[in-house]
Amino acid sequence: MPQQIYINLPVKDLARARAFYSALGFTLNPQFSNDDAICMVVSDTIHLMLLTEPFFAGFTGKPIADATKTTEVLLCLSRDSRAAVDELVAKARAAGGAVPRPPQDYGFMYGHGFEDPDGHIWELSFMDMSAAPPH
């Protein structure tokens, strides 16, 4: 079985978070979802766990960062093309997300991102390895 990653993020409104990530094309896994948390499937190996802030707090003794004011983590997903990057950013914007900065073209890599309604920033990238500089 391949290794999987479960990204756990605190959210203020579970229903709003579910609607936002559903609009991006992520699907609900009801097996790991209840009134305190939902699991959104990003891919076969990546799962997004959206936890209400009180439930999230039960897993840490540290204060929960307000992602609208501070950066707690930078998340990045690869896409198969520049068009796929821009398509997901457009879906995020249409679902109520923000676009914190314009796209960046680094020659061999194209990056663009969005911010979800809770302030978590997602970077999306497409890498053209044929254009990558040598090591």
Side-chain angles (χ1 to χ4, degrees):
M1 178 173 153
Q3 288 187 322
Q4 298 179 336
I5 185 168
Y6 288 79
I7 301 166
N8 294 268
L9 295 176
V11 298
K12 294 184 184 323
D13 183 327
L14 203 54
R16 179 185 70 185
R18 178 180 177 177
F20 179 81
Y21 286 103
S22 292
L24 300 186
F26 302 170
T27 57
L28 178 73
N29 178 344
Q31 182 180 6
F32 298 116
S33 301
N34 58 32
D35 292 339
D36 294 315
I38 58 172
C39 177
M40 300 300 293
V41 179
V42 178
S43 73
D44 290 342
T45 57
I46 303 170
H47 301 79
L48 180 58
M49 295 297 302
L50 303 168
L51 290 71
T52 62
E53 287 182 341
F55 188 60
F56 186 94
F59 292 94
T60 179
K62 297 180 180 180
I64 297 173
D66 179 348
T68 64
K69 297 179 181 163
T70 63
T71 301
E72 62 181 341
V73 65
L74 293 174
L75 305 160
C76 184
L77 293 174
S78 63
R79 299 282 98 177
D80 292 332
S81 67
R82 289 173 67 119
V85 167
D86 291 337
E87 181 182 326
L88 194 56
V89 171
K91 285 181 180 180
R93 182 181 281 156
V99 177
R101 62 182 182 83
Q104 303 291 311
D105 188 338
Y106 301 101
F108 69 96
M109 185 176 88
Y110 175 74
H112 201 186
F114 65 85
E115 184 175 326
D116 73 13
D118 286 287
H120 304 110
I121 296 176
W122 289 81
E123 180 71 13
L124 306 167
S125 67
F126 164 69
M127 287 190 244
D128 179 359
M129 295 313 291
S130 66
H135 297 308

